[in-house]
Each structure stands twice: as C-alpha cells, then as structure tokens.
C-alpha cells in the first residue's frame, strides 16, 4: 500500500473514532453517525489498498 494512501486511511479512521466519541459524550447522534461513517470510509480505503497490494505481488 502506498504510504500516502495508507496514511490517509489511518487518518480517516482516527478522525472518525474521535468524532464518534465526542458525539457519544455530548449526546449528538448525528456527529456519532458521521464518525462511524468516516471510520467506515477509512476501513474501505485501507481494504482497497491492501487488495491492490495483493495483486501487485
């Protein structure tokens, strides 16, 4: 996985976790849902890059 895309995936996952935690702490369901969505986007990006790596080798 290229370093830049790997970092972007990790960043999205981390930001998503933070948003979800803050949303849960303040009782904001919308923010919590956005955090979960951002985590999922990061997970999907990471899976895509890992699949590309498998086919490269």
């Amino acid at each position: 996985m290229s370093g830049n895309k790997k970092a972007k995936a990790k960043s999205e996952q981390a930001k998503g976790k933070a948003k979800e935690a803050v949303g849960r702490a303040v009782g904001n369901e919308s923010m919590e849902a956005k955090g979960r969505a951002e985590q999922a986007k990061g997970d999907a990006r990471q899976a895509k890059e890992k699949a590309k790596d498998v086919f490269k080798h």
Side-chain angles (χ1 to χ4, degrees):
M1 182 186 311
S2 76
N4 187 29
K5 290 183 180 182
K6 183 178 182 180
K8 188 169 184 170
K10 291 289 185 187
S11 172
E12 285 176 336
Q13 291 168 332
K15 284 192 294 185
K17 282 184 181 188
K19 274 186 187 177
E20 183 181 8
V22 169
R24 189 178 305 122
V26 298
N28 185 333
E29 291 179 15
S30 175
M31 181 182 275
E32 194 175 341
K34 285 179 185 177
R36 282 193 300 270
E38 198 163 343
Q39 283 183 68
K41 184 178 174 185
D43 292 343
R45 182 183 307 277
Q46 187 175 32
K48 181 181 103 178
E49 292 302 317
K50 282 184 179 180
K52 286 186 346 188
D53 284 348
V54 167
F55 290 109
K56 278 184 180 178
H57 300 299

